[in-house]
Amino acid sequence: MIKLDTIISLAKRRGFVFQSSEIYGGLNGFWDYGPLGVELLNNYKQAWWREMTYRDDIVGVDAAIIMHPKTWVASGHVAQFSDPMIDNKTSKARYRADNLIEEYIQKLRNKNKNDLANEIETKLNKAEKNEDYYNIITGYQITCPVSGSTEWTEVRNFNLMFKTFVGPVEDESSTVYLRPESAQGIFVNFKNVMDSARMRPPFGIAQIGKAFRNEINTKNFLFRTREFEQMEMQYFIKPGSEKDWFEYWKEQRWNWYLKMGMKESKMKWKVHEKLAHYANYAVDIEFEFPFGFGEIEGIHSRTDFDLSSHQNHSGKKLEYVDTVNQDRFVPYVIETSGGVSRGFMAMLCNAYDEEKITEDGKEETRVVMRFHPRLAPITLAVFPLVNKDGMPEYAHKIYKDLQKYFPTQYDTSGAIGRRYRRQDEIGTPFCVTVDGQTLEDHSVTIRNRDSMLQDRIPVSKIKEYIEERID
Ligand code: ATP
């Protein structure tokens, strides 16, 4: 199993992800995407957008991050969007109580103490009140990972929404929140979208956008951050049809990850035993990160909770009126809610591979990011075999021509093997080399990242060759 540190250091070295405000010592829970990271991120979002909205029944929106504060009263976030927090009196370290217990369970499993782990897990799954978490932590004498002490405070609620103010006066009436999920921007626009785009249930609204949560503990790189992006789709359906649509979206979303090259052996379902206040069915798709399985996307059947609640709080009707069948109803909703940054990180972990190869009689280890060609930040690299005899000029022209169609790099420095290695490490699926023969017959070699095999093809066919293989 690869180490998370290996991924983090490759991400930094090659310009995928940097710590936010690094020159000031960084800010916990915030990350910046570098030149290659932003390409991968955009490709990932674009792949989702194409999958979800290039179809008849789903359209997109891009809603504001700051919404009317009543939104968050109606959604239940003001009252309920909190995590159970506990402090260790000795170290003063602060933890999310359920995560502290989960980590303890994981430690027990690592030591093969599975019976005890199962016993605690059953209690954790049933825990509803702060008191339940407290009883588990003190009852099993779970210690603080920093101090090793069992001196704990009570478990309290901590609301995760970031607050700020609109306008010059900082008081209650001007308080707003940075949205903790993008879904509500879809719900409040339900009627606008349905009427303007002339949609009728079953139909969906998709959105990709930032969300903010003042997480108690941030950790594991991009897995739990305070600013992140979500790709969410809310599918509006007739009440009573939710079980079928829930199954449909489970299958669609699982298959999308497979289509993006995710290894099925690293994926699993997690069925929610404890349902959120709005849900009647809920599952997560989990991915096996270097630190264990973690959620990357949730598929939830949210009933009419959101639309009905916004209807009550706003006084505006949010129902579908079917004039043909003389029917009217507040639609039920199936939601698919994926984390972009978590998915991005899953793709980094999924793609990472090390393999022993022999080149020029020497054995070496090649690090290769096996991204799906659609997701790879750079599609193609072009090299002159040597920097003379007209090869650089020829190669540079190919580079300029193909840059119009694909993210392309041009590299002249170092031995050809080194140049391949640099591209392998960022996951470039194709490398074109201009050699002596090119100047005679206008053919090049094109090397495939995964097989390392080369084809010789005419220069005029490079674009077509790549297009055929990219999907
Ligand atoms: P968790 O239990 O891990 O806090 P959640 O169940 O609250 O997550 P949802 O509210 O269902 O998560 O959010 C949908 C998706 O948004 C998650 O599947 C995840 O990919 C992403 N996500 C949620 N919180 C974070 C975060 N703090 N950092 C990065 N991604 C996040």
Side-chain angles (χ1 to χ4, degrees):
M1 176 69 91
I2 42 152
K3 293 204 174 70
L4 188 57
D5 284 346
T6 311
I7 300 289
I8 299 175
S9 93
L10 183 141
K12 175 169 184 191
R13 185 159 35 84
R14 299 311 311 269
F16 283 91
V17 181
F18 309 123
Q19 204 182 7
S20 159
S21 340
E22 194 189 68
I23 59 167
Y24 291 104
L27 184 64
N28 234 330
F30 299 88
W31 297 87
D32 297 340
Y33 292 85
L36 293 180
V38 71
E39 296 292 339
L40 176 61
L41 190 74
N42 285 341
N43 292 345
Y44 188 66
K45 290 192 279 188
Q46 189 57 32
W48 183 86
W49 193 256
R50 283 166 64 135
E51 171 83 8
M52 299 300 273
T53 70
Y54 289 17
R55 45 186 281 163
D56 300 338
D57 56 347
I58 302 182
V59 289
V61 292
D62 191 290
I65 285 172
I66 294 182
M67 303 177 66
H68 194 290
K70 275 192 187 163
T71 309
W72 306 109
V73 176
S75 68
H77 284 79
V78 170
Q80 304 206 28
F81 194 58
S82 55
D83 278 338
M85 174 175 73
I86 190 165
D87 291 358
N88 184 267
K89 290 182 187 163
T90 317
S91 66
K92 308 277 183 265
R94 182 161 278 185
Y95 300 96
R96 211 173 112 176
D98 52 339
N99 287 354
L100 183 72
I101 301 168
E102 279 163 8
E103 275 159 33
Y104 183 65
I105 294 171
Q106 192 56 47
K107 268 190 219 151
L108 291 173
R109 293 209 190 285
N110 295 345
K111 291 186 201 154
N112 276 328
K113 295 187 177 166
N114 287 317
D115 289 348
L116 186 56
N118 292 342
E119 180 184 315
I120 303 177
E121 191 163 61
T122 310
K123 289 195 178 162
L124 179 62
N125 286 336
K126 286 198 190 127
E128 278 173 354
K129 299 191 298 287
N130 288 342
E131 217 186 323
D132 301 332
Y133 297 114
Y134 182 79
N135 289 340
I136 299 174
I137 292 170
T138 53
Y140 290 95
Q141 303 209 311
I142 296 179
T143 54
C144 165
V146 175
S147 64
S149 120
T150 52
E151 294 289 308
W152 296 105
T153 62
E154 295 292 300
V155 176
R156 287 126 38 236
N157 282 334
F158 174 73
N159 194 297
L160 302 183
M161 284 198 292
F162 279 101
K163 268 189 200 172
T164 186
F165 304 98
V166 166
V169 186
E170 299 192 1
D171 65 12
E172 263 308 288
S173 66
S174 64
T175 301
V176 291
Y177 304 95
L178 301 189
R179 68 179 177 202
E181 62 173 30
S182 58
Q184 300 305 323
I186 295 179
F187 292 126
V188 299
N189 278 304
F190 161 73
K191 197 94 173 76
N192 283 338
V193 172
M194 185 168 64
D195 294 347
S196 63
R198 298 195 294 137
M199 307 300 281
R200 48 194 189 136
F203 79 96
I205 306 178
Q207 173 168 230
I208 297 178
K210 292 251 173 165
F212 302 81
R213 296 183 188 178
N214 199 2
E215 299 278 358
I216 299 170
N217 302 118
T218 62
K219 61 173 175 196
N220 292 332
F221 193 32
L222 305 173
F223 185 80
R224 189 173 300 290
T225 55
R226 296 191 166 114
E227 173 175 343
F228 56 97
E229 244 177 326
Q230 293 184 311
M231 41 190 205
E232 296 197 301
M233 192 279 302
Q234 311 293 331
Y235 202 72
F236 300 93
I237 55 173
K238 197 170 171 156
S241 62
E242 66 271 23
K243 183 82 181 109
D244 289 345
W245 284 114
F246 179 66
E247 293 303 327
Y248 170 83
W249 281 110
K250 270 171 62 183
E251 191 185 327
Q252 294 291 311
R253 297 305 304 143
W254 181 270
N255 288 340
W256 183 74
Y257 286 102
L258 296 183
K259 219 156 71 179
M260 291 297 104
M262 196 171 267
K263 297 179 190 116
E264 201 162 18
S265 59
K266 290 196 158 284
M267 292 163 64
K268 74 170 189 202
W269 289 109
K270 179 171 178 181
V271 178
H272 286 220
E273 293 186 20
K274 262 189 310 192
L275 291 172
H277 55 282
Y278 51 74
N280 65 354
Y281 305 106
V283 289
D284 296 335
I285 297 176
E286 294 194 333
F287 175 79
E288 191 176 18
F289 291 97
F291 49 85
F293 275 95
E295 169 184 343
I296 49 173
E297 171 155 346
I299 297 130
H300 311 129
S301 171
R302 296 178 73 117
T303 67
D304 61 352
F305 171 82
D306 304 272
L307 290 183
S308 291
S309 185
H310 285 304
Q311 189 168 261
N312 292 340
H313 282 83
S314 67
K316 301 278 171 358
K317 282 246 170 293
L318 295 177
E319 55 183 22
Y320 168 66
V321 182
D322 179 350
T323 46
V324 178
N325 299 315
Q326 303 295 320
D327 195 9
R328 63 169 61 209
F329 56 86
V330 176
Y332 269 34
V333 169
I334 305 295
E335 157 182 88
T336 69
S337 172
V340 175
S341 4
R342 268 192 204 174
F344 172 101
M345 179 181 165
M347 286 302 171
L348 286 181
C349 300
N350 183 68
Y352 187 91
D353 195 14
E354 285 175 12
E355 71 179 358
K356 291 249 179 297
I357 55 164
T358 311
E359 209 163 52
D360 300 332
K362 273 194 311 212
E363 194 173 87
E364 58 173 304
T365 302
R366 105 171 158 132
V367 171
V368 50
M369 294 299 274
R370 299 189 191 276
F371 294 124
H372 184 290
R374 247 301 154 220
L375 297 182
I378 303 295
T379 309
L380 169 74
V382 185
F383 316 138
L385 181 63
V386 288
N387 286 316
K388 57 181 186 185
D389 303 335
M391 289 181 217
E393 293 76 12
Y394 201 116
H396 194 261
K397 183 169 180 316
I398 296 179
Y399 158 65
K400 280 308 218 190
D401 285 348
L402 290 166
Q403 202 181 34
K404 291 182 212 133
Y405 308 104
F406 312 107
T408 307
Q409 280 192 353
Y410 178 63
D411 189 0
T412 59
S413 77
I416 204 83
R418 302 263 332 128
R419 284 181 257 171
Y420 282 148
R421 240 19 39 84
R422 279 201 288 270
Q423 296 299 331
D424 287 343
E425 208 189 27
I426 61 170
T428 306
F430 307 103
C431 292
V432 160
T433 302
V434 166
D435 54 18
Q437 194 180 328
T438 313
L439 303 174
E440 287 162 21
D441 66 3
H442 304 288
S443 71
V444 289
T445 61
I446 186 158
R447 176 228 193 221
N448 286 273
R449 175 196 68 199
D450 294 336
S451 64
M452 297 200 296
L453 296 176
Q454 299 182 7
D455 289 321
R456 186 166 272 280
I457 60 169
V459 172
S460 58
K461 290 269 171 358
I462 304 175
K463 178 165 172 274
E464 195 181 311
Y465 180 98
I466 294 173
E467 276 166 351
E468 273 168 15
R469 285 161 181 79
I470 205 165
D471 282 314

